[in-house]
Amino acid sequence: MQDSLLLSSGEFAQMCNVSRELLIHYDKIGLLKPKEVRDNGYRYYSLKQLYMFDVIRFFLDTGMSMKEIKEYLDNRSTELFLDNAQDSIEKMMRQRDIIDARIGMMEKMRYITQRALLFPKDKPRLSYWDEIWFITTEVERERTQKSFAQAMSDHSDFCRTAAGVSKFPLGRIIDIPDQSKPEEYYYTKLVTWVSPPENKINLGNRIERKPRGNYAVVLHQGGTSTVARSYEKLFRYIKKEGFEMLGPIYELDMNSYLMSENSEDYLIHISVLVNA
């Protein structure tokens, strides 16, 4: 291809399917400077620079930053290309893992929301659950809005930074010291339902398994301010059936402020492992 033919910035931008403003930006940061800038300030590009633009677009598609691309172009070599290719592969694999985790999150949210529509409300029953895994964050037993808000913030931050997911589907682990006073409950942990982790070490002591087994469950309709009434129903059911509680109480939001601004529409799945 001859290099004598020069293209105006508009013609070059059109051939590259980008805006002139993007070319000006590339010029300013030294990523792709015009072949010639005339006295009137007009920029002109050579046909060979189409190849250079292809290089830039290729590396942008791999996730490299403009700064990284410029450093590469200033020192291009086969060895450096191979190093950058390996880095890009590893980066995209991490991104794929994050995307897979977020797809899993949305699938769980859809699943539990669909199930919530089928469950009878406020009627305790026995239900078998396979094991599930939670990311957890401890909550101070102060029962103050400030301590809970801080725990929620910490939980959300850990889910995003360590696992690459949001805090949803969100739930809580409950402690009720006296079953005759279900209104005096405590949140001990915030939990987020996640797919079985391939490497539990990365999540430290923040990963916890809810064991498989028979659970006494009740679906509470309403917000947490009225949830004690469903605890009371659940305890009466357990006592009537002669069950023994074998673990903590779990709450899992099945319909929350993600779906409605009215707390009367909220649905909270409450469960506890029993010896049925």
Side-chain angles (χ1 to χ4, degrees), residues 158-200:
F158 184 83
C159 286
R160 289 185 179 278
T161 56
V165 298
S166 80
K167 62 188 176 188
F168 301 104
L170 182 66
R172 295 151 296 278
I173 295 179
I174 312 300
D175 178 35
I176 302 178
D178 186 349
Q179 293 184 21
S180 67
K181 299 177 181 178
E183 69 280 0
E184 296 182 3
Y185 63 88
Y186 292 89
Y187 297 136
T188 62
K189 292 180 181 179
L190 297 175
V191 301
T192 290
W193 183 7
V194 294
S195 299
E198 294 183 3
N199 190 347
K200 302 180 184 65

Side-chain angles (χ1 to χ4, degrees), residues 80-189:
L80 187 57
F81 170 79
L82 292 174
D83 289 342
N84 277 274
Q86 183 62 36
D87 290 343
S88 295
I89 289 170
E90 293 174 359
K91 183 185 297 184
M92 287 187 284
M93 290 178 67
R94 289 193 297 269
Q95 292 171 343
R96 183 181 63 188
D97 291 342
I98 291 173
I99 291 172
D100 287 344
R102 290 175 179 172
I103 291 173
M105 172 194 70
M106 292 304 298
E107 287 177 338
K108 290 181 180 67
M109 291 298 296
R110 180 184 62 183
Y111 169 75
I112 64 177
T113 302
Q114 288 174 333
R115 289 198 68 178
L117 299 177
L118 302 175
F119 285 167
K121 313 300 187 292
D122 299 321
K123 184 179 179 181
R125 65 197 181 284
L126 192 67
S127 178
Y128 179 83
W129 277 71
D130 204 348
E131 70 175 21
I132 59 178
W133 290 88
F134 291 131
I135 293 175
T136 68
T137 298
E138 292 189 1
V139 181
E140 294 182 10
R141 295 175 65 94
E142 296 177 358
R143 294 195 65 176
T144 64
Q145 291 184 347
K146 183 177 180 181
S147 64
F148 183 77
Q150 182 60 57
M152 186 73 82
S153 175
D154 294 344
H155 186 71
S156 179
D157 182 63
F158 184 83
C159 286
R160 289 185 179 278
T161 56
V165 298
S166 80
K167 62 188 176 188
F168 301 104
L170 182 66
R172 295 151 296 278
I173 295 179
I174 312 300
D175 178 35
I176 302 178
D178 186 349
Q179 293 184 21
S180 67
K181 299 177 181 178
E183 69 280 0
E184 296 182 3
Y185 63 88
Y186 292 89
Y187 297 136
T188 62
K189 292 180 181 179

Side-chain angles (χ1 to χ4, degrees), residues 7-272:
L7 302 172
S8 69
S9 58
E11 291 171 328
F12 191 81
Q14 186 176 16
M15 294 187 72
C16 296
N17 294 311
V18 296
S19 66
R20 291 178 65 253
E21 288 73 18
L22 181 63
L23 294 179
I24 292 172
H25 176 64
Y26 283 180
D27 180 14
K28 288 181 177 178
I29 64 175
L31 187 59
L32 180 62
K33 303 190 74 64
K35 180 73 172 180
E36 181 180 316
V37 180
R38 295 182 180 170
D39 293 339
N40 57 10
Y42 289 177
R43 295 172 169 84
Y44 290 88
Y45 296 81
S46 72
L47 289 174
K48 283 186 177 180
Q49 286 182 291
L50 289 171
Y51 294 125
M52 184 61 70
F53 185 84
D54 283 342
V55 174
I56 294 170
R57 182 152 46 190
F58 171 83
F59 283 111
L60 283 174
D61 288 343
T62 68
M64 286 177 62
S65 68
M66 292 185 184
K67 180 180 178 181
E68 290 171 332
I69 295 172
K70 184 179 185 307
E71 291 176 354
Y72 170 77
L73 293 177
D74 291 341
N75 302 279
R76 260 186 299 176
S77 69
T78 302
E79 291 75 18
L80 187 57
F81 170 79
L82 292 174
D83 289 342
N84 277 274
Q86 183 62 36
D87 290 343
S88 295
I89 289 170
E90 293 174 359
K91 183 185 297 184
M92 287 187 284
M93 290 178 67
R94 289 193 297 269
Q95 292 171 343
R96 183 181 63 188
D97 291 342
I98 291 173
I99 291 172
D100 287 344
R102 290 175 179 172
I103 291 173
M105 172 194 70
M106 292 304 298
E107 287 177 338
K108 290 181 180 67
M109 291 298 296
R110 180 184 62 183
Y111 169 75
I112 64 177
T113 302
Q114 288 174 333
R115 289 198 68 178
L117 299 177
L118 302 175
F119 285 167
K121 313 300 187 292
D122 299 321
K123 184 179 179 181
R125 65 197 181 284
L126 192 67
S127 178
Y128 179 83
W129 277 71
D130 204 348
E131 70 175 21
I132 59 178
W133 290 88
F134 291 131
I135 293 175
T136 68
T137 298
E138 292 189 1
V139 181
E140 294 182 10
R141 295 175 65 94
E142 296 177 358
R143 294 195 65 176
T144 64
Q145 291 184 347
K146 183 177 180 181
S147 64
F148 183 77
Q150 182 60 57
M152 186 73 82
S153 175
D154 294 344
H155 186 71
S156 179
D157 182 63
F158 184 83
C159 286
R160 289 185 179 278
T161 56
V165 298
S166 80
K167 62 188 176 188
F168 301 104
L170 182 66
R172 295 151 296 278
I173 295 179
I174 312 300
D175 178 35
I176 302 178
D178 186 349
Q179 293 184 21
S180 67
K181 299 177 181 178
E183 69 280 0
E184 296 182 3
Y185 63 88
Y186 292 89
Y187 297 136
T188 62
K189 292 180 181 179
L190 297 175
V191 301
T192 290
W193 183 7
V194 294
S195 299
E198 294 183 3
N199 190 347
K200 302 180 184 65
I201 296 177
N202 293 340
L203 300 176
N205 61 358
R206 303 287 287 271
I207 191 72
E208 185 170 313
R209 181 180 64 92
K210 180 183 178 184
R212 65 170 57 91
N214 291 308
Y215 283 79
V217 303
V218 64
L219 186 62
H220 173 73
Q221 183 161 16
T224 55
S225 62
T226 59
V227 74
R229 71 188 186 204
S230 290
Y231 294 150
E232 186 176 0
K233 290 179 181 179
L234 187 64
F235 293 151
R236 285 203 303 264
Y237 169 76
I238 292 172
K239 183 177 180 180
K240 177 184 174 182
E241 298 297 326
F243 298 149
E244 178 186 354
M245 294 195 300
L246 303 178
I249 300 168
Y250 295 90
E251 287 184 358
L252 187 63
D253 294 341
M254 303 188 82
N255 192 353
S256 66
Y257 59 88
L258 281 178
M259 297 85 172
S260 175
E261 62 180 351
N262 185 356
S263 62
E264 291 303 311
D265 295 331
Y266 296 174
L267 296 172
I268 302 174
H269 185 273
I270 303 170
S271 64
V272 60

